[in-house]
Amino acid sequence: MSRVTIKDIARKLNVSATTVSNALNGKPGVGKSARKEIQDLARAMGYQPNYFAKGLVSRQSYAIGLVITNITDPFYPELALGVQEKAGEFGYSTMLFNTNHNQESQETIIRMLGAKGVDGVILSTVRQDDPAIDLLDEMEMPYVLVNRMILNPRKAGHIDSVTLDNYSGSHQAATHLCRLGHTRIAVIAGDMDASTAITRTSGAVDAFKEWGVSIPDNWFVDCGYTKDRAFTAAQKIFTCSAPRPTAILAQDDNMALGVREAAYAAGLRIPEDLALVGFNDISFASLIGIELTTIRQDQHHMGMTCAEILIKKLQDPKRRGLCNNVLIQTELVIRKSCGFYPDGYT
Amino acid sequence: MSRVTIKDIARKLNVSATTVSNALNGKPGVGKSARKEIQDLARAMGYQPNYFAKGLVSRQSYAIGLVITNITDPFYPELALGVQEKAGEFGYSTMLFNTNHNQESQETIIRMLGAKGVDGVILSTVRQDDPAIDLLDEMEMPYVLVNRMILNPRKAGHIDSVTLDNYSGSHQAATHLCRLGHTRIAVIAGDMDASTAITRTSGAVDAFKEWGVSIPDNWFVDCGYTKDRAFTAAQKIFTCSAPRPTAILAQDDNMALGVREAAYAAGLRIPEDLALVGFNDISFASLIGIELTTIRQDQHHMGMTCAEILIKKLQDPKRRGLCNNVLIQTELVIRKSCGFYPDGYT
DNA sequence: CTTTTTTAGTTTAACGTTAAAGTTGATTCT
DNA sequence: AGAATCAACTTTAACGTTAAACTAAAAAAG
């Protein structure tokens, strides 16, 4: 691989290595004809600058790390793609790592990213007071959070984040159920140590208040963002509650799918016996037979946005002091799972 | 980041940099007590070896590249996860790149991987006679193909690959349809320039022969591996063919979902009016209301396998000459989309 | 026409690590 | 006891690139 070095080119043309370097990097101090000669020869010889030598002197890797929980969660692929595309535009490559929700491995990964010399990190799905954040601060590694923000106002002011407008998304979803006349609504919440779940819950609670809907405590289930846990939680609600809820607000489409399976298992029809709303609009939510009413978010855009914030910050030291907290707007997508079809939708 | 160098440690302990390096890398020539002292101080100072300096002298990056078409295709996340996990076990990190089916960007990506000094590449979904392969050979970059193999016997002998046993998988699927009594079967084939599609088609064709089923030419559609194209292809078949096929063999679950939507749009019920088989068993194939009969494959295992082959090859030059072509076994998963439920399945 | 400035270079050193060759002084062998 | 071996180091150089300081000649300025 890349065996041709700057020195080889220099030797052939009887110039110094520095001149070659300057010529190829568009720096001044090289004559017009010599520059062209050098560039042509470099191309002809298939010269590729050595990444390690460059990194050693510049202390830049032009690589960023993207740390997610698990790429097999349908929430992430589109996000990862957005990050990679935007990073690619700036000439950065992306290293993707899965923590599998494991705190320890998250720290190991971050340390490794540091050792590999990435220029910055995009960190998804951190918890409040996550030690990963302190670690990154300590390493003086630039980073941007995505899909979670730090709510603690003391920290929040200097931590960049790109998140959904979870409050208004969840408010929209809850309002939709209330408007359809539901008054017995259960909320299957994601991990309540996550900013998304906290904010989504408060959006729903406020909507319920506005509509005068009150909900028993045991219909708020803090169950963790997985299909299986949502299945179990829903099962419990269906068997233990009389009267049963007529609607369920799941804070995530995967969880909604879990609820759906539990509902079918309990002999309930959707939407006839149970209205169901999800959150995320993963690709499969639109399939015939599923047709989940949900809150759409543009993960691709989220990915692009956080990559852009990070890289601009890397490239422009002036931006270092500024703090970006971007809220991505959501959209209510009405399908069939709540039993209300808008005009033109069949 | 990683500001502590070997020299800092050396200076503090009045030894040479080489001794520190040797002590930390477990090499001989360092006294027991000195070694311990060095290791302790290194830990205390938070020493992290500089990746670029190491790479510059060792010419190893401990990074591999994984080139796929698009991570948002549900086929890939599990594969990517498997690659990363296995690579991680060996201390390698993975750089993921999406070609978006674009030949040119694939070549750009491979060149960039070369420039970034990855030690090897896992390349998915190449075409027969793909220029990417020549490029990798020319760069003398070790690589393993996954999900495709090169059928041309002149080349095949020295190209590692990990693929499904597509022939027998497709044979199983076709046999299943024939055994259920179908004789009017259409095949929606993926891109016929891909080894998977070629092999899957030949497995199906052989099964049809064995059952004496003959199929008109226009019921073999070479349509490209996407849901949308499969939708269009199926639509055409439903409207143009009389009598209509009673079963469709889709060479991919996404395509099967496209066929499913087209069938519903044409007023056909599944399985009553149309039996449908997919291929891959993506996670959504099992959802209630979809319940697609399909061929399961273990992408995670595929990912692990190809990462292992690549890295073992990187680490052991003796293996360089050997060629691995691993076939991963498939399994027929019978759900409801063909109208036959085995015992215990409701 | 001398002095200053500019252009087009060169030389040196540094980034952090490690391989290779050299230097001690102690230990073992005969 | 003297030679050979060994252990525990050190010194030097190299990996490929670039920043910084230098030089020589040409061009511009006075």
Side-chain angles (χ1 to χ4, degrees):
Chain A
M1 277 108 45
S2 93
R3 244 169 234 88
V4 186
T5 75
I6 263 186
K7 285 184 186 171
D8 298 326
I9 300 174
R11 213 171 300 129
K12 284 217 180 184
L13 294 177
N14 269 312
V15 295
S16 71
T18 302
T19 299
V20 176
S21 172
N22 288 335
L24 295 176
N25 292 306
K27 300 219 169 150
V30 188
K32 228 179 170 189
S33 64
R35 166 161 281 145
K36 186 167 184 323
E37 220 178 351
I38 291 169
Q39 284 169 340
D40 289 349
L41 183 61
R43 192 160 322 133
M45 294 175 73
Y47 168 73
Q48 290 275 84
N50 181 299
Y51 177 68
F52 298 103
K54 254 186 135 118
L56 186 57
V57 14
S58 73
R59 289 153 185 295
Q60 289 220 293
S61 62
Y62 290 96
I64 61 174
L66 172 59
V67 181
I68 63 177
T69 54
N70 195 303
I71 187 68
T72 59
D73 179 333
F75 175 79
Y76 289 111
E78 195 70 56
L79 178 82
L81 187 65
V83 168
Q84 292 193 319
E85 286 181 0
K86 183 55 83 177
E89 278 177 31
F90 285 98
Y92 280 72
S93 55
T94 307
M95 310 196 81
L96 182 69
F97 289 90
N98 302 281
T99 64
N100 288 309
H101 295 277
N102 178 337
Q103 200 61 251
E104 195 191 343
S105 84
Q106 188 177 43
E107 292 187 41
T108 313
I109 287 166
I110 290 174
R111 269 183 226 285
M112 193 222 275
L113 286 171
K116 292 248 171 181
V118 299
D119 296 339
V121 172
I122 294 172
L123 197 59
S124 82
T125 317
V126 294
R127 309 173 140 250
Q128 302 297 313
D129 285 313
D130 200 304
I133 290 182
D134 301 320
L135 180 57
L136 284 164
D137 282 333
E138 191 187 308
M139 291 162 72
E140 295 176 48
M141 171 75 81
Y143 62 97
V144 174
L145 301 185
V146 62
N147 193 36
R148 291 286 190 280
M149 58 190 297
I150 299 300
L151 301 172
N152 178 340
R154 193 164 42 81
K155 285 190 169 183
H158 41 95
I159 297 183
D160 293 303
S161 67
V162 175
T163 48
L164 277 196
D165 190 344
N166 285 295
Y167 177 89
S168 90
S170 186
H171 190 277
Q172 278 174 295
T175 302
H176 181 64
L177 288 175
C178 292
R179 191 184 299 142
L180 293 177
H182 291 279
T183 54
R184 300 208 310 278
I185 305 172
V187 177
I188 310 284
D191 185 341
M192 283 301 280
D193 193 46
S195 68
T196 47
I198 297 170
T199 322
R200 284 176 199 177
T201 300
S202 93
V205 165
D206 288 358
F208 293 152
K209 260 190 213 138
E210 289 159 26
W211 287 79
V213 167
S214 76
I215 289 183
D217 277 357
N218 60 337
W219 282 7
F220 276 105
V221 192
D222 177 4
C223 98
Y225 279 117
T226 74
K227 184 179 166 190
D228 289 349
R229 292 211 200 156
F231 181 92
T232 313
Q235 213 168 28
K236 208 180 212 171
I237 289 179
F238 295 146
T239 55
C240 302
S241 308
R244 221 190 278 118
T246 61
I248 290 197
L249 189 71
Q251 290 191 345
D252 171 60
D253 283 353
N254 271 319
M255 291 167 72
L257 291 177
V259 171
R260 179 175 174 273
E261 309 269 297
Y264 286 140
L268 301 173
R269 292 162 304 162
I270 295 173
E272 292 83 351
D273 305 318
L274 185 78
L276 179 60
V277 195
F279 206 113
N280 281 359
D281 196 26
I282 60 179
S283 68
F284 296 90
S286 65
L287 289 177
I288 295 176
I290 309 243
E291 289 153 305
L292 185 64
T293 290
T294 187
I295 301 296
R296 174 178 298 159
Q297 52 180 298
D298 189 343
Q299 279 100 345
H300 194 260
H301 181 56
M302 271 175 91
M304 305 256 274
T305 306
C306 59
E308 185 163 4
I309 290 176
L310 179 64
I311 293 173
K312 287 219 167 136
K313 210 154 202 178
L314 293 177
Q315 295 188 331
D316 182 0
K318 271 176 268 166
R319 281 175 192 260
R320 289 287 163 101
L322 294 166
C323 177
N324 297 281
N325 291 105
V326 178
L327 275 191
I328 306 275
Q329 288 313 300
T330 60
E331 181 192 350
L332 175 65
V333 181
I334 297 173
R335 295 204 181 90
K336 294 189 181 168
S337 67
C338 299
F340 174 75
Y341 320 152
D343 290 345
Y345 198 99
T346 43
Chain B
M1 275 106 45
S2 97
R3 243 167 235 91
V4 186
T5 75
I6 264 186
K7 284 184 186 170
D8 299 326
I9 300 174
R11 214 171 300 130
K12 284 218 179 183
L13 294 177
N14 268 313
V15 293
S16 71
T18 302
T19 300
V20 175
S21 172
N22 287 335
L24 294 176
N25 292 307
K27 301 220 169 148
V30 188
K32 228 180 170 188
S33 62
R35 167 160 283 149
K36 188 169 183 317
E37 220 179 349
I38 291 169
Q39 285 169 340
D40 289 349
L41 183 62
R43 191 160 321 133
M45 294 175 72
Y47 169 73
Q48 290 274 87
N50 182 299
Y51 177 68
F52 299 102
K54 253 186 136 119
L56 186 56
V57 13
S58 72
R59 286 150 188 298
Q60 288 221 297
S61 63
Y62 289 97
I64 62 174
L66 172 59
V67 181
I68 63 178
T69 54
N70 196 304
I71 188 67
T72 59
D73 180 335
F75 175 80
Y76 289 111
E78 195 70 57
L79 178 83
L81 188 66
V83 169
Q84 291 192 319
E85 285 181 2
K86 182 56 83 179
E89 278 176 31
F90 285 97
Y92 280 71
S93 54
T94 307
M95 310 196 81
L96 182 69
F97 289 90
N98 303 281
T99 63
N100 289 310
H101 295 277
N102 177 337
Q103 200 61 250
E104 195 192 345
S105 84
Q106 187 177 45
E107 291 188 40
T108 313
I109 287 166
I110 290 173
R111 269 183 225 283
M112 193 223 276
L113 286 171
K116 291 248 170 182
V118 299
D119 296 337
V121 171
I122 294 172
L123 198 58
S124 81
T125 318
V126 294
R127 307 172 143 253
Q128 303 296 313
D129 285 313
D130 200 304
I133 290 182
D134 301 321
L135 180 56
L136 285 164
D137 282 334
E138 192 187 307
M139 292 163 71
E140 295 176 50
M141 171 75 81
Y143 62 98
V144 175
L145 302 185
V146 63
N147 193 36
R148 292 286 190 281
M149 58 191 298
I150 299 301
L151 301 171
N152 177 342
R154 191 164 43 82
K155 285 189 168 184
H158 42 94
I159 297 183
D160 294 304
S161 68
V162 175
T163 46
L164 278 195
D165 190 344
N166 285 294
Y167 178 89
S168 91
S170 186
H171 190 277
Q172 279 175 293
T175 302
H176 180 65
L177 288 175
C178 293
R179 190 184 299 142
L180 292 178
H182 291 279
T183 53
R184 301 209 310 278
I185 306 174
V187 177
I188 310 284
D191 185 342
M192 284 302 280
D193 193 46
S195 68
T196 47
I198 298 170
T199 324
R200 283 176 199 176
T201 300
S202 93
V205 166
D206 287 359
F208 294 152
K209 260 190 213 137
E210 288 159 27
W211 287 78
V213 168
S214 76
I215 288 183
D217 276 357
N218 61 337
W219 283 8
F220 276 104
V221 191
D222 176 5
C223 96
Y225 279 118
T226 74
K227 185 179 164 191
D228 289 349
R229 292 209 201 158
F231 180 92
T232 312
Q235 213 168 27
K236 207 179 213 170
I237 289 179
F238 295 146
T239 55
C240 302
S241 308
R244 222 192 278 118
T246 61
I248 290 197
L249 190 70
Q251 290 191 345
D252 170 62
D253 282 354
N254 271 319
M255 292 166 72
L257 291 177
V259 172
R260 179 175 173 272
E261 309 269 299
Y264 285 140
L268 301 173
R269 291 163 303 162
I270 295 174
E272 291 83 353
D273 305 318
L274 184 78
L276 179 60
V277 196
F279 205 112
N280 281 357
D281 196 25
I282 60 179
S283 68
F284 297 89
S286 65
L287 289 177
I288 295 177
I290 309 244
E291 291 153 304
L292 185 64
T293 291
T294 187
I295 300 296
R296 174 177 298 161
Q297 54 179 299
D298 189 344
Q299 279 100 343
H300 194 261
H301 181 56
M302 271 175 92
M304 305 257 273
T305 306
C306 59
E308 185 163 5
I309 289 175
L310 179 63
I311 293 174
K312 286 216 166 136
K313 211 154 202 179
L314 293 178
Q315 295 188 330
D316 182 0
K318 270 175 270 166
R319 282 175 191 260
R320 288 288 163 99
L322 293 166
C323 177
N324 297 280
N325 291 105
V326 178
L327 274 191
I328 306 276
Q329 289 312 300
T330 59
E331 181 193 350
L332 175 66
V333 181
I334 297 173
R335 296 205 181 92
K336 294 188 180 170
S337 67
C338 298
F340 173 75
Y341 319 153
D343 290 346
Y345 196 101
T346 43

